[in-house]
Amino acid sequence: MNETTQPKLALNGSRLFTSWLQQQNASLAFTTYQVGKLFLIGIKPDGGLSVFERTFDRAMGLTVTKERAYMGTLYQLWQLDNFLTAGEVHEGHDALYVPTVGTTTGDIDIHEMSVDGDGLPVFVATRFNCIASPAKRGSFKVRWKPSFIDRVAAEDRCHLNGLAMQDGQPKYATCVSQTNVAEAWRAHRKDGGVVIDIDTDEVVAEGLSMPHSPRLYKDKLYLLQAGTGEFGYIDLKKKIFEPLCFLPGFARGLSFCGDYAVIGLSKPRREGTFEGLALNERLEKEGIEARCGLSIVNLKTGDVEHSLEIEGVIQELFDVAVIEGVRRPMALGFRNEEIRFMVRPEED
């Protein structure tokens, strides 16, 4: 094979993956900044797997509902609206996400995001060590920063990355270390990670290895400890991480559907950010290769019941979202003229 030939992309669901999606009456979305793509995963009318993708430079943080999605990219925050009404279908798809509003933030390295009680996007501006929202005038508005960060600067000092919401407001954040010097977090990847209560600035868990994706769900604070490959939750009384299962990959991106967690996995890089982590040691000990894809974990048992494995050019995922009430979503991008001619006036 020619050395310049890109490996073919393949997405393979486990035996009951599509059945699970159908049963949940939901679809999935995930981003990969590695190749700059938004993927939408659903079910075709014949029960087969539907895979739809669109190109967005450095697609990262993502939050999606049936009506609207927000996604962070290289230097913009995109709002994508579903142009279809209930019961309407476009080219066999029951949701059509169209980019309608692009907010230019500059390269602030938008990680995880959500929407607050007022309908305003909330996102982690990792390069600036803060949680932010769109500004009325400026690139972004700071809503919170860790108390150990002395000022908002374009220096990734602690690798603030994760955001959990409660009652429509930011509640918990994760960062790789409590450091206040540019790039200093890299020396603390193995056990410097913390979870912080945004309301009180209290550290509610520490000694973690690259924590990501904190989520409050059914009265528990769930978390991915990416450096060890573990999914679990924080016991807020004991202030410790309780693992539910091991996942064979760098876990990043977490969403929920009923009694299940949907988790994104990436193949660890042998050099740089992923180097020297307990995850790599565990994979070698178990004699298994790291995987890229989605894992569906039963919250009651900790069993990985279903999966979507991704092979080929994509090695890393970033964020994951469940779209409840949508069977087969699609989206428009900017690489062809579809978006030029997709015009729909707002209806009362």
Side-chain angles (χ1 to χ4, degrees), residues 58-114:
R58 197 173 168 80
M60 292 183 66
L62 178 71
T63 183
V64 189
T65 66
K66 188 174 182 179
E67 292 77 27
R68 178 170 290 170
Y70 287 98
M71 179 174 59
T73 60
L74 180 60
Y75 57 87
Q76 290 174 301
L77 169 66
W78 281 105
Q79 175 183 311
L80 298 89
D81 290 320
N82 180 9
F83 272 22
L84 303 186
T85 57
E88 190 177 2
V89 175
H90 178 78
E91 297 179 356
H93 299 265
D94 61 343
L96 170 60
Y97 292 97
V98 180
T100 54
V101 180
T103 301
T104 300
T105 59
D107 188 351
I108 62 175
D109 203 15
I110 293 177
H111 275 51
E112 294 185 346
M113 59 170 33
S114 189

Side-chain angles (χ1 to χ4, degrees), residues 191-244:
D191 57 8
V194 294
V195 181
I196 304 172
D197 185 321
I198 291 172
D199 292 334
T200 64
D201 279 319
E202 177 189 6
V203 173
V204 299
E206 58 187 347
L208 303 172
S209 181
M210 298 198 76
H212 280 76
S213 309
R215 303 283 188 269
L216 281 167
Y217 185 71
K218 294 187 175 182
D219 299 321
K220 278 188 176 180
L221 176 57
Y222 288 97
L223 183 76
L224 299 172
Q225 195 169 192
T228 63
E230 293 174 310
F231 166 57
Y233 62 92
I234 300 297
D235 185 322
L236 292 172
K237 291 183 179 179
K238 297 180 180 179
K239 296 186 176 182
I240 59 173
F241 175 79
E242 296 283 1
L244 285 175

Side-chain angles (χ1 to χ4, degrees), residues 112 161-162 174-176 193-195 208-215 221-234 241-247 249-256 261-266 293-295 297 299 317-320:
E112 294 185 346
N161 58 49
T174 51
C175 51
V176 174
V194 294
V195 181
L208 303 172
S209 181
M210 298 198 76
H212 280 76
S213 309
R215 303 283 188 269
L221 176 57
Y222 288 97
L223 183 76
L224 299 172
Q225 195 169 192
T228 63
E230 293 174 310
F231 166 57
Y233 62 92
I234 300 297
F241 175 79
E242 296 283 1
L244 285 175
C245 66
F246 171 73
L247 299 163
F250 189 87
R252 179 175 53 196
L254 172 63
S255 192
F256 296 93
V262 181
I263 301 168
L265 295 183
S266 299
L294 304 178
S295 290
V297 178
L299 294 174
L317 306 187
F318 189 82
D319 213 351
V320 175

Side-chain angles (χ1 to χ4, degrees), residues 44-57:
K44 295 177 181 178
D46 64 3
L49 187 68
S50 171
V51 178
F52 198 95
E53 55 88 3
R54 282 292 180 260
T55 299
F56 292 89
D57 288 344

Side-chain angles (χ1 to χ4, degrees), residues 67-183:
E67 292 77 27
R68 178 170 290 170
Y70 287 98
M71 179 174 59
T73 60
L74 180 60
Y75 57 87
Q76 290 174 301
L77 169 66
W78 281 105
Q79 175 183 311
L80 298 89
D81 290 320
N82 180 9
F83 272 22
L84 303 186
T85 57
E88 190 177 2
V89 175
H90 178 78
E91 297 179 356
H93 299 265
D94 61 343
L96 170 60
Y97 292 97
V98 180
T100 54
V101 180
T103 301
T104 300
T105 59
D107 188 351
I108 62 175
D109 203 15
I110 293 177
H111 275 51
E112 294 185 346
M113 59 170 33
S114 189
V115 178
D116 70 12
D118 296 321
L120 192 67
V122 185
F123 49 84
V124 181
T126 299
R127 187 174 172 223
F128 285 81
N129 311 285
C130 68
I131 291 174
S133 283
K136 292 182 179 178
R137 183 173 182 174
S139 299
F140 61 91
K141 179 180 180 180
V142 177
R143 295 180 62 153
W144 176 84
K145 66 176 180 63
S147 58
F148 55 81
I149 297 294
D150 62 357
R151 64 187 180 90
V152 175
E155 302 172 346
D156 182 1
R157 299 177 177 184
C158 63
H159 206 65
L160 185 71
N161 58 49
L163 171 65
M165 304 288 286
Q166 184 179 59
D167 300 326
Q169 295 299 321
K171 177 58 179 174
Y172 294 103
T174 51
C175 51
V176 174
S177 69
Q178 298 181 78
T179 45
N180 191 38
V181 177
E183 304 291 329

